Amino acid sequence: MARDRLDGVRDHYDVIVIGAGLAGMTSANNLAKCGRSVLLLEQHYNFGGMATWFRRKGGHIFDISLHGFPIGMIKSCRKYWTREIADCIVQLKGIVFDNPQFQLKTPFDRADFTRILVERFGIAPETVESFFDTARRMDFYDDQSMTTRELFEKFFPGRSDVVRLLMEPITYANGSTLDDPAITYGIVFSNFMSRGVYIFQGGTDKLIQMMRQEMVRTGVDLRKQVQVERIVVEDGRACGVIANGRRISAGAVLSNANLKTTVEKLVGPEHCPDELLEETRAVRLNNSSCQVYMGIKKGERIDYIGDLLFTSVSDVFDTKAMCARDVTSRTFSMYYPDTRPGSDRYAIVSSTNANWNDWANLSPEDYQRDKAHLIETTLAALEKYVPDIRSKLDHVEASTPVTFHHYTQQMHGSTFGTKFEGLKVSMDLPNHIPGLFHAGSVGIIMSGWLGAINYGVIVANELETYMFEQARTGGHDDTISTTEPMRS
Amino acid sequence: MGQQQVKEIILKIIETIAPDADLSDVKSDVRLRDQLDMDSMDFLDIVMELRKRYKVEVPKEDYMQLETLDSCAAYLAPKFEAVAAS
């Protein structure tokens, strides 16, 4: 008989968190530290969500999304996790660009970008300063009608090379395009730009293990391989879940599943106010990704050629082309042995943005053929940087939007959550369905490791406020309307 | 509770949020953000700590009341009183 993954689970918790991505885990840990009883349910056999890894025969270990996050992670990990986790974060100093417009290497901080833009691109220092200041000053409450394209056009008219330098890494990091609101660029870019790009030394497996230990310490009830089927909504309020066929009740539910999945599937149209359903349906998903994982044979080594390589053969920067199946841009994450101190192994992961529709409806034969093509073209592109790569590797495999969907259950395999409008819907969710909260990659600015962790804290605070208010009023507060128009 | 006590409570909270910050010479009438390199997440931390440690709730629309030590004291002192009285 299959093991009961819910063995020992109580009938009621203060909070049930659905999904153990970085946002879900951070919320769960934060709420447990506030003294709440918390049940964290994860469908996969690992915690971490997109912050994940896998092992293959021959001692290979591949990280999916470890490379690289902004310096703010150090502070957030120290505040919301542990000093030990924060202390493992180190800088990646070699960020390389190679495309038909320019080739350069940079530590990716404001000082070096200023130098490059002035010395190599011939931009006036005042313009560079003014651009950085504008980007840094942007916040969520600013004008949202200006696009990133217009922002660049304002400061660097006609300079597609500058746009490429400033935009390509951000597109890699969160899937945003030139047509997204400029504030999303400003907020993310100023985070990234201040002091370089960072990585967790020890690998994703160590990070998630340390987070898991901390959640055990803070008393979160952790369960994996548990499928949440429904969020229970009664009298307009979220009051529990159905998981693995069993009903578990809760004072509040926090979903770290995809925003659209949360509303359209877990709550379901019959329990959704019309307005929420319409707004959710209008939210656009962000794109997905393809990755190629290359494991280097034991005993082989690769010379240091930089940590993160933004490569492209496309004449100009184009976010649409970056998603196309006919790949012109690839980001190579180079994992040297010091990624996991004590190891002597190398791995390379190539990432490209990709569209669900290009991969989801293929016949099994066509799917395998296209995957093989992806691997072959990736190796061919990598030979420019590691000429003897084919003889050095003894494992190679690829993932596609279908793979990401399979493991994370993200709608359309989305690897960056939703577009900008998703943030408002996510934040407004408790106003439509009291007791239901959402945290996860939304709205571009809350995407990526740092965005997910910080958003997890922001939403945990909202949830605490709700619980605090419920306790004060005995659950009969009149500040939250329970007479939302229900869908019949 | 006096306003001076509230300021001390806030400084104690900031000490745990930003252990490396130099709090020896924080000016009461200057924005904390400008003296201590604090971002919006740090202010959220103050809100969460006030709730956790003192059961004092600061609604979102009042977050700007936490701008300076003086404004914190003026805004929070009555709230501390109310909690103590309940």
Side-chain angles (χ1 to χ4, degrees):
Chain A
M1 207 178 103
R3 180 169 161 203
D4 178 11
R5 297 284 171 182
L6 292 174
D7 186 34
V9 163
R10 311 200 318 241
D11 291 330
H12 181 87
Y13 290 80
D14 291 335
V15 187
I16 295 174
V17 178
I18 305 167
L22 288 178
M25 291 197 294
T26 305
S27 297
N29 194 45
N30 205 285
L31 291 161
K33 281 198 277 189
C34 290
R36 302 293 173 190
S37 61
V38 182
L39 174 65
L40 176 58
L41 301 174
E42 167 58 41
Q43 53 89 19
H44 191 40
Y45 52 79
N46 277 331
F47 295 106
M50 272 293 289
T52 198
W53 73 97
F54 63 91
R55 294 170 198 279
R56 286 293 181 263
K57 250 193 283 189
H60 299 295
I61 177 158
F62 298 103
D63 297 282
I64 308 298
S65 61
L66 179 58
H67 257 182
F69 40 74
I71 190 166
M73 271 291 279
I74 296 177
K75 196 166 149 189
S76 286
C77 282
R78 180 174 48 68
K79 288 196 297 187
Y80 311 126
W81 288 98
T82 64
R83 165 69 76 176
E84 290 69 33
I85 289 176
D87 285 347
C88 292
I89 295 173
V90 296
Q91 190 178 2
L92 292 174
K93 298 211 172 89
I95 312 302
V96 174
F97 288 81
D98 183 23
N99 60 59
Q101 288 174 301
F102 55 87
Q103 293 81 42
L104 56 87
K105 191 166 169 185
T106 169
F108 213 74
D109 57 29
R110 179 168 172 165
D112 202 52
F113 261 80
T114 305
R115 181 189 65 77
I116 291 167
L117 284 167
V118 172
E119 290 175 13
R120 291 204 44 183
F121 289 72
I123 306 290
E126 311 82 71
T127 307
V128 177
E129 284 304 301
S130 158
F131 174 78
F132 280 133
D133 287 341
T134 303
R136 204 185 48 203
R137 271 201 308 273
M138 285 181 163
D139 73 37
F140 185 62
Y141 302 100
D142 285 352
D143 171 31
Q144 299 174 3
S145 62
M146 182 192 248
T147 65
T148 303
R149 188 189 306 279
E150 288 160 354
L151 173 72
F152 284 133
E153 200 49 37
K154 188 174 155 194
F155 285 91
F156 313 107
R159 292 298 299 267
S160 73
D161 53 345
V162 174
V163 173
R164 182 173 221 158
L165 174 70
L166 297 176
M167 186 68 191
E168 201 160 39
I170 307 301
T171 301
Y172 161 77
N174 66 20
S176 65
T177 71
L178 291 170
D179 298 314
D180 288 312
I183 60 162
T184 64
Y185 178 82
I187 291 167
V188 174
F189 182 72
S190 49
N191 263 319
F192 263 96
M193 283 310 302
S194 55
R195 286 160 66 188
V197 176
Y198 292 76
I199 188 177
F200 184 87
Q201 199 165 41
T204 318
D205 46 333
K206 181 177 176 192
L207 170 68
I208 300 303
Q209 189 202 1
M210 288 173 90
M211 287 182 165
R212 213 168 153 255
Q213 282 166 352
E214 172 64 5
M215 287 190 288
V216 168
R217 192 187 69 79
T218 59
V220 179
D221 194 345
L222 299 165
R223 304 290 170 144
K224 51 190 185 181
Q225 289 176 277
V226 175
Q227 186 71 47
V228 173
E229 289 129 31
R230 300 287 293 184
I231 292 168
V232 180
V233 178
E234 280 174 0
D235 300 329
R237 275 174 195 273
C239 57
V241 302
I242 312 273
N244 283 9
R246 180 177 153 190
R247 178 170 171 162
I248 309 162
S249 83
V253 175
L254 192 156
S255 173
N256 181 211
N258 180 286
L259 175 64
K260 289 165 81 77
T261 310
T262 301
V263 173
E264 295 171 28
K265 295 218 174 103
L266 295 176
V267 172
E270 64 277 23
H271 295 289
C272 259
D274 286 339
E275 193 191 349
L276 171 63
L277 198 59
E278 273 163 39
E279 280 182 6
T280 307
R281 285 181 171 155
V283 171
R284 294 162 301 159
L285 288 167
N286 227 327
N287 60 267
S288 183
S289 309
C290 284
Q291 289 189 317
V292 177
Y293 312 94
M294 291 158 277
I296 307 302
K297 277 180 212 163
K298 191 166 178 59
E300 287 283 359
R301 56 184 311 279
I302 291 173
D303 292 335
Y304 180 76
I305 53 167
D307 298 295
L308 201 49
L309 280 61
F310 294 102
T311 74
S312 176
V313 293
S314 177
D315 287 337
V316 289
F317 175 71
D318 174 356
T319 41
K320 270 215 183 66
M322 280 180 82
C323 288
R325 223 173 356 155
D326 152 30
V327 175
T328 53
S329 300
R330 290 183 175 79
T331 304
F332 293 108
S333 292
M334 308 293 296
Y335 292 103
Y336 302 96
D338 56 359
T339 305
R340 288 180 174 75
S343 159
D344 58 353
R345 303 303 295 270
Y346 297 74
I348 303 173
V349 178
S350 159
S351 303
T352 51
N353 292 352
N355 295 317
W356 169 255
N357 286 334
D358 287 338
W359 292 90
N361 305 309
L362 302 176
S363 68
E365 298 75 32
D366 288 352
Y367 181 72
Q368 290 309 327
R369 181 204 62 207
D370 283 7
K371 252 175 122 168
H373 177 75
L374 172 67
I375 290 172
E376 176 51 38
T377 51
T378 300
L379 288 174
L382 184 57
E383 278 177 321
K384 179 176 176 190
Y385 310 98
V386 187
D388 42 4
I389 180 64
R390 288 174 201 269
S391 65
K392 285 188 167 171
L393 58 79
D394 65 355
H395 182 87
V396 59
E397 70 179 278
S399 64
T400 73
V402 177
T403 321
F404 286 108
H405 175 259
H406 175 76
Y407 286 106
T408 66
Q409 297 188 353
Q410 283 284 317
M411 198 176 269
H412 289 186
S414 168
T415 43
F416 302 108
T418 69
K419 289 287 186 190
F420 185 63
E421 62 274 11
L423 183 53
K424 180 183 172 290
V425 178
S426 171
M427 293 199 302
D428 275 353
L429 195 54
N431 297 328
H432 291 289
I433 303 175
L436 179 59
F437 297 81
H438 174 264
S441 279
V442 282
I444 301 172
I445 55 179
M446 295 304 178
S447 297
W449 284 24
L450 179 61
I453 283 183
N454 284 350
Y455 195 43
V457 173
I458 290 168
V459 176
N461 176 59
E462 300 286 322
L463 195 150
E464 261 301 307
T465 304
Y466 171 80
M467 302 282 279
F468 197 78
E469 203 55 33
Q470 290 288 106
R472 195 178 64 82
T473 60
H476 298 292
D477 72 294
D478 47 18
T479 55
I480 298 170
S481 164
T482 55
T483 53
E484 289 279 355
M486 299 300 292
R487 201 181 151 83
S488 53
Chain B
M1 179 175 295
Q3 299 214 352
Q4 191 52 40
Q5 267 174 291
V6 174
K7 288 181 193 174
E8 279 161 23
I9 285 172
I10 295 296
L11 282 174
K12 220 172 229 140
I13 290 176
I14 294 175
E15 203 181 327
T16 59
I17 297 167
D20 304 326
D22 176 13
L23 301 179
S24 57
D25 189 28
V26 177
K27 293 184 181 56
S28 263
D29 57 346
V30 178
R31 296 202 317 169
L32 290 164
R33 185 184 287 270
D34 296 338
Q35 305 179 70
L36 296 172
D37 188 28
M38 292 172 69
D39 58 26
S40 55
M41 288 305 289
D42 296 319
F43 283 91
L44 186 64
D45 294 329
I46 296 179
V47 170
M48 293 190 293
E49 290 302 316
L50 284 170
R51 185 193 302 118
K52 200 154 59 175
R53 297 186 195 183
Y54 304 99
K55 306 228 175 305
V56 167
E57 181 69 28
V58 181
K60 219 185 297 181
E61 56 272 21
D62 291 344
Y63 284 3
M64 69 268 243
Q65 305 284 350
L66 305 179
E67 249 190 356
T68 67
L69 279 184
D70 283 342
S71 67
C72 280
Y75 172 75
L76 292 171
K79 286 192 165 267
F80 275 100
E81 304 280 347
V83 171
S86 68

